[in-house]
Amino acid sequence: MRTIFVLACLFFSNFVHALGREVSYEEIISQHQNQIIWVATCGAWKSANQAGFYRIVHASIGDQSYIYIQWMKPNSEGDNEVQHMLSVPQINNDHASISLESLNCKVTKAGIKILARSESGHHTKMGVVEIIIFQEFGKYLFKERFQ
C-alpha cells in the first residue's frame, strides 16, 4: 500500500510542477518572437563601475503576459548588450494567468517603476500590477492589487 502511495505522489507531483513552469526569455525569443508586443527603454542604472539603461520586454501569448527587465550597457563597439536580466516569476509562469495592459514606466530615485492594469484568470478581477526595479541587478518588488 505504501508503494502505491509513493508512486501516486511521484506521478501527481509531475503535474503540480508543470503548472508553475517559468517561461524563459530564450523560449519567448525562439518560439514566440511575434508575440512580443511592447519593448521600451526607461531610466538609467548605475553600479560601482558600470552604468546603462533599463529595457522592458512584454510578450503576450493567449491570455498570459510575460515580462522581462534587462539592465543594458553599451559595449566597446557601441552596441548595447544585456548585463543582467530579470524574469518576474509572479507573472512569467505558465499558471499565473495574468494579462497586463497599458504598461508604463516611471523613473524613480531607486530605479524604475512599471505600472500596468491586470486581469487575473484565477480571480476574474481587474487589478493593478506594480513592479519596482532597483539599481542592483535582479532586485525588485512586486505588488498586485485587485479592485
Side-chain angles (χ1 to χ4, degrees):
M1 184 69 161
R2 179 178 161 98
T3 303
I4 292 172
F5 175 76
V6 169
L7 290 174
C9 287
L10 289 172
F11 177 77
F12 287 111
S13 71
N14 288 333
F15 290 108
V16 171
H17 183 273
L19 290 175
R21 182 181 69 83
E22 189 170 335
V23 177
S24 71
Y25 180 75
E26 290 76 18
E27 182 176 339
I28 295 292
I29 292 299
S30 67
Q31 297 177 28
H32 307 286
Q33 189 172 22
N34 292 335
Q35 301 310 114
I36 295 174
I37 57 174
W38 189 68
V39 177
T41 59
C42 178
W45 61 268
K46 187 175 183 180
S47 69
N49 60 353
Q50 301 183 76
F53 61 94
Y54 299 99
R55 179 167 65 188
I56 304 147
V57 179
H58 175 223
S60 182
I61 302 170
D63 291 336
Q64 174 65 41
S65 285
Y66 300 91
I67 191 162
Y68 305 89
I69 295 89
Q70 300 171 326
W71 282 253
M72 303 296 294
K73 177 184 170 192
N75 63 21
S76 59
E77 289 82 40
D79 296 327
N80 295 315
E81 41 183 58
V82 177
Q83 292 299 297
H84 183 78
M85 181 160 31
L86 170 67
S87 171
V88 180
Q90 292 90 336
I91 296 173
N92 294 354
N93 74 72
D94 59 2
H95 186 64
S97 191
I98 295 175
S99 178
L100 300 176
E101 300 175 355
S102 303
L103 278 80
N104 67 54
C105 180
K106 297 179 180 185
V107 177
T108 68
K109 289 181 182 178
I112 60 172
K113 181 190 303 185
I114 301 166
L115 295 167
R117 288 195 326 245
S118 69
E119 183 174 355
S120 171
H122 296 298
H123 306 292
T124 60
K125 294 180 181 178
M126 295 299 291
V128 175
V129 164
E130 179 180 348
I131 308 168
I132 300 169
I133 309 298
F134 298 102
Q135 301 273 332
E136 188 177 340
F137 292 161
K139 299 291 183 185
Y140 75 101
L141 179 63
F142 178 87
K143 299 177 185 178
E144 184 176 31
R145 296 179 301 279
F146 294 103
Q147 301 166 340

